[in-house]
Amino acid sequence: LLPVYQLQLAPNLPLVELDKVQIQQVLINIMRNSIEAVEENSNMSELRITIKTSFNGKNEMSVTLSDNGPG
């Protein structure tokens, strides 16, 4: 089962200071959890993972990951 990734990235996001390795590891772990959950649910034909970014204009940025898996 190969996941289908959808990116919904907000335009003109400001640069932020963060640990590149740590954020990559967090995102990889969350995506791996999504894939494993769907693989356990054999009646699903497709895994969709959506990664969305947003910025509220007040120095707050968010990254949201969602999937169509169970739970």
Side-chain angles (χ1 to χ4, degrees), residues 8-63:
Q8 297 177 357
L9 306 178
N12 304 319
L13 291 174
L15 294 177
V16 294
E17 289 187 37
L18 51 82
D19 186 309
K20 180 180 176 180
V21 174
Q22 286 183 345
I23 196 70
Q24 285 176 339
Q25 192 61 52
V26 168
L27 294 173
I28 288 168
N29 287 343
I30 294 171
M31 288 187 285
R32 183 178 296 135
N33 289 346
S34 294
I35 292 167
E36 289 174 0
V38 169
E39 286 175 343
E40 292 175 7
N41 189 1
S42 60
N43 62 355
M44 295 200 63
S45 61
E46 176 183 86
L47 168 62
R48 289 186 309 275
I49 297 175
T50 302
I51 302 171
K52 180 179 179 179
T53 59
S54 61
F55 179 65
N56 73 356
K58 298 179 183 178
N59 296 328
E60 293 180 12
M61 184 183 310
S62 66
V63 178

